[in-house]
Amino acid sequence: MSNNTYYSMCGFSGFIDYTCSLTEEDIIKSTKTLRHRGPDGFGYEFISTDQCHIGLGHTRLSIIDLSNNAGQPMWYRSYCIVFNGEIYNFKEIKERLTLKGHVFNTTSDTEVILHAYEEWDANMLHEFIGMFSIVIYDKEKHQLFIARDRAGVKPLYYSVDDKGLLFGSELKSLMSHSRYVRAINIDALALYLQYGYIPAPHSIFKKTYKLKPGHYIEYNISDKKLNEKQYWNVYDCYNQPELKIEFEEAKNETRHILKKAFQLRMVSDVPVGVFLSGGFDSTCVTALLQHDSTERLKTFTIGMTDQNLNEAPYAKEIAHYLGTDHTEMYCTEQEALNIIPDLPFYYDEPFGDSSAIPTILVSKIAAKDVKVALSADGGDEIFAGYTRYIYAENSMRYAIKTPSFLKKIASSVMDRLPPEYIPGGNKIERFPLRYNKAKELLKLKPVAKEIMDFATKNIDWESTKTLFKDDVRLVNTFFDSTELKGERFSLFPYMMAMDYQTYLVDDILQKVDRATMSVGLEGREPFLDQHIIEWAARLPLEYKYKSGIQKHILKEIAYDLVPKELLDRPKSGFSIPLGKWMHGFLKDKVDYYFSDTFIKKQGIFEPENLKALLSDFYNKRKRGAAVIWFILVFQMWYEKWMD
């Protein structure tokens, strides 16, 4: 039975059910949980076979081909698709397929995917430039084809067992099924406490996974076999020989590749805007797009009332210089307080990046004027922008140069001497945290993975284990990859490549996807065009990091478009004053979720150790605000989805 009442595009759910207990009502129910992702339309398909029931559901945000003809689920011959995302080069692919005899009935990229699948099967993925999660039911092969884009811009969760397969754009669509077991994966929760997110392929629930970026699955419905394959790997880009190229030539080619990728993200049948923070990445996107355009770009900025974290005035100056149609909004404590209770719904897996709050706010103001917004995420990972890269490099140098016996003596002394007993320590900002970090550094080996762990994790593994009532295991993630090869591989590119596969995918992209989708806005990531990373990974490191200057080549491109004095300033980031808020207007909430009553009822954490952690935070010893916030967010998530 088919029911496409409206057109649809930006969230999907589905199942293969061998118990034949899931019905048409179940696919409707699970798809409705995603209406925020696609407020413009709703469609579903329910298929009953001798072996199983199959459900495919879709909600749509209309971006390309606004007609009902582009509705999903969409059938073509024996193929039925649900698709989230955009294929930016679909017109070129359509022309090639037309020459091969394919006939099209719509102007949508969805129909192009179906014809490409018929022509090239899984190899079609190599032809696509875009962001996507794709599910195709192949009736003839009795197979489900599931794919995710190279960088992992668009999410895809799945759960598999002998009873069948559940999948969806967000976890809530899986949780809507009565037979889905919400069993917390404690090992994944331990990862969350360290990073503030759960690295793929793990999820907060047992037997539930994220499809890894650059991968696809062929699920044979007849024999219940799931075969996962990789079709693109960022490490392959870094494993290529370094380019022998002069800087000016590299700069000109980089600008050409960036401009082409940015302009491709402007393809839309609805208004498009840009998130402008005032940093180099978003300025570069805005300036390159505005440079050759007679039409004023719409730009959007969120400001913070804490002036130490506020980049809005800089963004406003840049917008004025470039001549964009600029909108700004300031995030007050009350507005943040209003958003915090909704975080567990939109981020239905525990998610600790507090910049989700201003990202939701800037998405709200953008959604009033546009349906698509470009975000400049990825620039730091590709062009060496994070300050922790320098911190890690200095830590590596320190670990190599300091004699082992000196490190051992110093570490032993610091173990016996708490930071509060150090004279003058109370006059140094965040001294206890810095003191304990220095103590950890003394115990490090000069190995890239250990240095990256030290620079990336908010809490070490030994401390993490003490927070749990039961034993937790350290499970493998992309952080454990050994695929990076070659003599040229130093710590900087190692961390950049690792971040591209971990922090970028499971923190930054998840943050932007959920924030934009929460208000029916499509977020696009122009820096994540595969041609940019495939080019930039091979550039000499000194073109990205030169004499202490990060993003060197990107900055030189930006300086050609915007006066240097508007850009050169310390980076403040897109964050909120967590420590201040949790000592202030969020304190009651923190105390409630850390209370013995809540902790003991929950049965996950060790109450005394959690209480000690909170005491250290309140007394400004040892731990900073991040881990306390991570736990607070998890507790709110737990109350929303598990109580």
Side-chain angles (χ1 to χ4, degrees):
M1 177 182 176
S2 177
N3 184 348
N4 284 310
T5 310
Y6 307 99
Y7 39 82
S8 36
M9 179 75 87
C10 272
F12 61 71
S13 67
F15 56 75
I16 305 290
D17 172 37
Y18 295 105
T19 69
C20 294
S21 60
L22 295 182
T23 66
E24 186 176 339
E25 290 303 314
D26 290 295
I27 191 59
I28 293 172
K29 179 182 176 183
S30 66
T31 306
K32 281 183 176 179
T33 66
L34 305 174
R35 285 307 297 263
H36 57 283
R37 296 186 68 91
D40 294 333
F42 179 88
Y44 68 89
E45 192 79 23
F46 180 75
I47 303 160
S48 178
T49 73
D50 292 339
Q51 188 182 16
C52 63
H53 285 174
I54 301 169
L56 296 170
H58 198 278
T59 63
R60 187 188 189 198
L61 182 68
S62 309
I63 306 297
I64 301 290
D65 190 340
L66 310 187
S67 71
N68 289 352
N69 293 332
Q72 296 182 44
M74 180 184 286
W75 278 96
Y76 167 65
R77 295 188 176 174
S78 61
Y79 314 121
C80 186
I81 185 173
V82 286
F83 158 59
N84 174 24
E86 303 286 352
I87 307 300
Y88 301 118
N89 63 331
F90 78 96
K91 291 181 180 178
E92 291 83 354
I93 295 172
K94 186 175 183 178
E95 288 177 5
R96 291 168 55 195
L97 291 168
T98 299
L99 291 174
K100 290 177 175 289
H102 290 260
V103 178
F104 295 87
N105 297 314
T106 75
T107 58
S108 73
D109 51 353
T110 309
E111 188 182 13
V112 172
I113 297 172
L114 285 169
H115 285 257
Y117 179 77
E118 180 185 46
E119 187 68 34
W120 298 308
D121 203 79
N123 287 325
M124 70 176 180
L125 299 172
H126 298 292
E127 308 296 326
F128 294 163
I129 300 173
M131 55 175 188
F132 52 82
S133 288
I134 299 169
V135 177
I136 297 175
Y137 168 54
D138 187 332
K139 188 176 180 180
E140 285 188 0
K141 289 184 180 179
H142 209 43
Q143 172 183 282
L144 214 60
F145 177 83
I146 307 173
R148 193 176 181 195
D149 64 73
R150 295 168 181 83
V153 178
K154 285 300 167 187
L156 202 160
Y157 290 86
Y158 69 95
S159 177
V160 62
D161 57 25
D162 288 340
K163 294 179 180 178
L165 175 71
L166 304 175
F167 57 87
S169 298
E170 296 181 11
L171 271 177
K172 58 178 66 67
S173 68
L174 280 67
M175 288 191 276
S176 71
H177 296 293
S178 58
R179 76 171 179 83
Y180 182 77
V181 179
R182 302 185 195 186
I184 290 179
N185 182 345
I186 299 297
D187 301 330
L189 178 57
L191 289 174
Y192 164 76
L193 293 186
Q194 293 173 82
Y195 298 109
Y197 60 87
I198 298 174
H202 309 289
S203 87
I204 190 61
F205 293 123
K206 294 178 180 178
K207 296 183 179 180
T208 304
Y209 311 94
K210 304 181 186 83
L211 180 57
K212 291 176 284 190
H215 284 67
Y216 68 89
I217 286 171
E218 292 174 329
Y219 182 77
N220 189 304
I221 298 173
S222 297
D223 61 19
K224 304 182 182 180
K225 286 186 178 178
L226 187 150
N227 188 16
E228 184 178 12
K229 297 179 182 178
Q230 187 173 52
Y231 69 91
W232 188 87
N233 187 349
V234 71
Y235 300 144
D236 291 340
C237 306
Y238 281 94
N239 286 334
Q240 296 295 313
E242 187 177 274
L243 291 169
K244 306 297 182 184
I245 187 172
E246 294 297 323
F247 181 77
E248 282 303 314
E249 184 184 351
K251 175 185 167 184
N252 291 335
E253 182 61 19
T254 302
R255 176 168 171 165
H256 170 73
I257 292 171
L258 291 176
K259 185 175 179 180
K260 184 177 179 181
F262 296 173
Q263 288 178 334
L264 201 54
R265 269 72 185 171
M266 295 297 288
V267 175
S268 174
D269 293 335
V270 295
V272 179
V274 181
F275 291 151
L276 178 61
S277 70
F280 277 94
D281 301 342
S282 63
T283 298
C284 196
V285 172
T286 307
L288 281 172
L289 289 173
Q290 188 67 80
H291 186 261
D292 295 323
S293 176
T294 56
E295 189 174 329
R296 295 174 69 196
L297 279 177
K298 290 183 178 294
T299 53
F300 304 90
T301 297
I302 194 75
M304 305 300 297
T305 52
D306 186 329
Q307 292 307 306
N308 293 322
L309 300 172
N310 187 28
E311 288 191 323
Y314 307 118
K316 188 174 183 178
E317 287 183 15
I318 290 167
H320 177 73
Y321 177 83
L322 294 173
T324 68
D325 180 3
H326 190 61
T327 302
E328 71 176 12
M329 173 184 174
Y330 276 78
C331 175
T332 65
E333 290 186 351
Q334 186 56 51
E335 285 166 327
L337 192 61
N338 292 341
I339 284 175
I340 287 171
D342 293 331
L343 289 177
F345 175 79
Y346 293 115
Y347 295 86
D348 53 8
E349 180 173 68
F351 184 72
D353 188 337
S354 59
S355 65
I357 295 169
T359 306
I360 290 174
L361 281 172
V362 76
S363 297
K364 281 185 175 182
I365 63 170
K368 294 176 182 178
D369 294 318
V370 299
K371 264 198 169 182
V372 177
L374 273 58
S375 180
D377 300 306
D380 286 315
E381 290 81 0
I382 297 169
F383 293 103
Y386 290 124
T387 54
R388 57 187 166 86
Y389 294 161
I390 299 176
Y391 176 57
E393 186 183 61
N394 292 338
S395 300
M396 174 75 91
R397 193 178 296 117
Y398 177 83
I400 291 172
K401 289 185 175 181
T402 308
S404 297
F405 77 93
L406 284 180
K407 289 193 287 185
K408 190 173 182 180
I409 292 170
S411 176
S412 178
V413 170
M414 292 177 78
D415 279 337
R416 292 179 173 85
L417 191 63
E420 53 264 35
Y421 292 111
I422 303 297
N426 60 347
K427 297 179 181 179
I428 301 173
E429 185 181 0
R430 300 174 70 209
F431 177 74
L433 182 62
R434 293 180 177 185
Y435 184 87
N436 284 284
K437 271 288 188 181
K439 187 169 65 175
E440 290 176 33
L441 180 58
L442 289 167
K443 300 174 183 178
L444 280 183
K445 296 176 183 177
V447 177
K449 185 182 184 305
E450 282 205 20
I451 298 293
M452 176 140 192
D453 281 350
F454 173 70
T456 303
K457 291 179 178 178
N458 289 277
I459 183 171
D460 64 88
W461 176 242
E462 292 303 317
S463 300
T464 303
K465 289 192 294 185
T466 66
L467 300 179
F468 288 89
K469 187 177 179 182
D470 298 322
D471 290 338
V472 291
R473 298 177 303 115
L474 191 59
V475 294
N476 284 341
T477 67
F478 272 123
F479 285 108
D480 301 297
S481 172
T482 58
E483 294 176 87
L484 296 168
K485 312 290 182 186
E487 294 180 3
R488 77 179 182 93
F489 227 82
S490 64
L491 183 61
F492 249 84
Y494 175 88
M495 292 187 71
M496 290 157 62
M498 283 288 178
D499 272 341
Y500 199 95
Q501 285 280 55
T502 54
Y503 178 66
L504 176 67
V505 182
D506 295 312
D507 186 307
I508 301 298
L509 297 182
Q510 181 173 207
K511 174 185 70 180
V512 176
D513 175 81
R514 302 306 192 280
T516 52
M517 289 288 95
S518 74
V519 293
L521 179 73
E522 180 176 281
R524 295 182 178 177
E525 314 286 347
F527 271 107
L528 299 186
D529 188 300
Q530 67 262 32
H531 299 102
I532 296 176
I533 184 62
E534 288 168 357
W535 164 259
R538 298 186 62 193
L539 289 175
L541 179 59
E542 62 266 25
Y543 291 179
K544 290 171 275 191
Y545 177 64
K546 181 180 180 181
S547 304
I549 298 174
Q550 296 177 273
K551 298 183 183 175
H552 173 49
I553 196 167
L554 198 63
K555 288 180 177 181
E556 290 301 313
I557 292 170
Y559 291 149
D560 290 341
L561 300 162
V562 177
K564 194 173 182 180
E565 57 269 22
L566 290 182
L567 289 167
D568 282 351
R569 64 181 187 279
K571 182 175 181 177
S572 60
F574 202 35
S575 56
I576 63 173
L578 275 182
K580 177 183 174 183
W581 286 8
M582 290 191 294
H583 275 98
F585 70 94
L586 287 178
K587 189 175 185 299
D588 288 346
K589 193 178 286 286
V590 173
D591 290 341
Y592 167 72
Y593 285 114
F594 277 75
S595 67
D596 282 349
T597 302
F598 194 94
I599 297 298
K600 289 178 180 178
K601 178 185 175 184
Q602 188 180 42
I604 294 175
F605 297 112
E606 181 58 51
E608 291 305 313
N609 291 344
L610 218 60
K611 189 184 297 182
L613 187 74
L614 184 61
S615 175
D616 284 344
F617 167 69
Y618 281 150
N619 293 292
K620 300 183 180 180
R621 297 194 304 264
K622 293 184 180 178
R623 294 294 162 202
V627 177
I628 303 299
W629 172 258
F630 293 168
I631 295 171
L632 172 63
V633 169
F634 172 74
Q635 301 294 67
M636 290 190 296
W637 174 90
Y638 184 91
E639 189 172 58
K640 167 70 178 176
W641 296 106
M642 300 300 293
D643 267 5

